[in-house]
Amino acid sequence: MSLQSSEIKFAYWVPNVSGGLVVSTIEQRTDWSYDYNIRLAQTAEKNGFEYALTQIRFTAGYGAENQHESVSFSHALLAKTEKLKVIAAILPGPWKPALAAKQLATIDYLTQGRIAINVVSGWFRGEFDAIGEPWPEHDERYIRSEEFIRTLKGIWTTDNYSFEGKYYQFQNYTLKPKPAQKPYIEVFQGGSSCAARDMAARVSDWYFTNGNSVAEIKKQIDDVRAKAKLENRHVKIGVNAFIIARDTEQEAQAVLNEIISKANVEAVNAFGDATREAGAAAPEQEGNWAKSTFDDLVQYNDGFKTNLIGTPQQIAERIVDLKSVGVDLILSGFLHFIEEVEYFGENVLPLVRQIEQQQLQHLQVPAKSA
């Protein structure tokens, strides 16, 4: 296993949609309001989180009855923080690259380089149908997303930019001012299909994967990195995890059991049906949630599978295990966001840094005496 010299980074899911991060009737002291999210963002940046990811939803469902739009909400969080970088989720289709490039460049300029983008190719056809957007076949959605990313980068770095693609065309377009970040705003994307990994290898800076075991995550990382190497590129990796850190392992497991026992069965099953339909559309007949059980689906992106559930020491050790197979960032969800982000910063993060430092010291070769 390789060991990265840089520290692993942490992001959190912004609860800009109602219902929290689990499809359960358990109490969640998490709120989708602006005031709550400002307090959360300020708490997160004080407790070692470098990134926050806003969610993009256009329609109600699966417990998310209300949704704030991702780009404007991201800007609102940036206005009230100092260091945090916010990743705005964007769907090609509803957004056109000219609009996205202009929006994000302006926000980047106003916030001195603290916006990023997560390009979501789309998995929920019902949402696209509801808003009258075309729904291309699975791999076509990734072709469109790849053009979307290529055109964003072109607009952000080139004057008199021209592009002739299947989905987007530009003729001698110049955007000014360009983003503050150089060469361009960071681009994230997710997905587990071959098309998603291929696209990440070619054009994305970061690849998000659903939660999973260390061994399964390593398989995906190795595949993406091998493909990126053929393109003379390096792709960084973010992994989803629902974190339940408690003073004892028994307390943490009790919380997990309560979340699952109080699952909203109808909503979880509806979500499972939608994800299976999406996965079946992939050429390999396998999508993000192909091997997810009912219990896994109680957390949208298989966050329980990553197993960051237990004591601070157990979680810290598992985080460093993920880092050892190439994970660069943990995308974190919590039950009670503000207090648990604070607990994580005070009790888990220092242990992660301590283990990282110990491993680096162990690898250092003593200098030879003259």
Side-chain angles (χ1 to χ4, degrees), residues 62-74:
Y62 318 127
E65 298 307 309
N66 298 285
Q67 317 94 31
H68 291 301
E69 189 276 318
S70 55
V71 177
S72 52
F73 205 77
S74 296

Side-chain angles (χ1 to χ4, degrees), residues 1-6 320 323-325 356 359-360 363:
M1 290 186 180
S2 63
L3 183 69
Q4 298 163 255
S5 58
S6 59
V320 178
K323 177 183 174 181
S324 73
V325 299
E356 286 177 322
Q359 290 189 349
L360 281 175
L363 289 176

Side-chain angles (χ1 to χ4, degrees), residues 229-351:
K229 190 174 182 180
L230 295 175
E231 304 283 337
N232 295 314
R233 303 184 69 248
H234 176 77
V235 179
K236 289 177 278 191
I237 307 294
V239 171
N240 185 61
F242 192 85
I243 299 176
I244 306 175
R246 298 294 187 271
D247 292 342
T248 68
E249 185 176 8
Q250 291 74 18
E251 287 177 274
Q253 287 298 324
V255 172
L256 175 63
N257 293 339
E258 185 181 358
I259 291 170
I260 293 171
S261 70
K262 294 181 177 179
N264 182 330
V265 175
E266 184 179 354
V268 173
N269 285 333
F271 177 60
D273 290 344
T275 60
R276 278 187 287 275
E277 180 183 341
E284 62 270 30
Q285 299 284 297
E286 188 169 303
N288 258 351
W289 297 272
K291 298 176 182 176
S292 301
T293 65
F294 177 92
D295 289 1
D296 296 327
L297 293 171
V298 176
Q299 205 289 312
Y300 292 117
N301 293 92
D302 285 340
F304 299 150
K305 283 186 179 182
T306 316
N307 195 27
L308 299 189
I309 299 166
T311 65
Q313 184 67 37
Q314 289 172 321
I315 291 171
E317 290 172 358
R318 291 168 190 163
I319 287 170
V320 178
D321 286 344
L322 289 164
K323 177 183 174 181
S324 73
V325 299
V327 173
D328 299 284
L329 178 145
I330 304 294
L331 174 57
S332 314
F334 299 91
L335 188 64
H336 311 303
F337 264 85
I338 289 178
E339 52 258 58
E340 294 194 38
V341 162
E342 204 161 37
Y343 184 93
F344 183 90
E346 292 174 356
N347 297 282
V348 181
L349 187 55
L351 294 176

Side-chain angles (χ1 to χ4, degrees), residues 58-236:
F58 280 94
T59 59
Y62 318 127
E65 298 307 309
N66 298 285
Q67 317 94 31
H68 291 301
E69 189 276 318
S70 55
V71 177
S72 52
F73 205 77
S74 296
H75 193 194
L77 297 181
L78 289 165
K80 296 292 185 178
T81 51
E82 297 177 356
K83 298 178 294 181
L84 194 69
K85 180 174 276 193
V86 183
I87 310 161
I90 287 182
L91 274 166
W95 269 273
K96 308 306 178 196
L99 172 61
K102 191 77 170 175
Q103 276 184 307
L104 294 163
T106 295
I107 296 171
D108 205 53
Y109 177 82
L110 295 174
T111 62
Q112 294 79 52
R114 291 196 292 125
I115 191 74
I117 181 175
N118 182 37
V119 176
V120 181
S121 296
W123 61 268
F124 182 25
R125 178 171 185 163
E127 189 168 56
F128 275 64
D129 289 345
I131 62 174
E133 279 289 334
W135 181 251
E137 292 301 316
H138 180 276
D139 282 12
E140 282 294 313
R141 296 199 296 277
Y142 284 97
I143 291 170
R144 179 172 67 179
S145 290
E146 182 166 339
E147 285 192 11
F148 190 90
I149 293 169
R150 289 188 185 278
T151 55
L152 287 181
K153 290 182 176 181
I155 293 167
W156 286 334
T157 58
T158 310
D159 288 342
N160 302 311
Y161 176 70
S162 295
F163 181 85
E164 189 65 34
K166 182 175 182 179
Y167 291 96
Y168 307 113
Q169 298 80 37
F170 288 86
Q171 294 295 328
N172 299 317
Y173 175 57
T174 299
L175 170 72
K176 289 186 179 180
K178 289 184 168 48
Q181 294 180 71
K182 303 303 179 190
Y184 48 76
I185 292 166
E186 282 185 298
V187 177
F188 292 70
Q189 73 145 108
S192 295
S193 64
C194 288
R197 295 197 296 272
D198 290 350
M199 184 181 94
R202 289 191 292 265
V203 295
S204 298
D205 304 308
W206 287 85
Y207 173 70
F208 276 137
T209 182
N210 274 6
N212 216 322
S213 67
V214 172
E216 290 301 314
I217 289 168
K218 183 180 186 300
K219 290 178 186 177
Q220 287 195 55
I221 292 172
D222 289 348
D223 182 55
V224 171
R225 292 256 166 88
K227 289 171 176 175
K229 190 174 182 180
L230 295 175
E231 304 283 337
N232 295 314
R233 303 184 69 248
H234 176 77
V235 179
K236 289 177 278 191

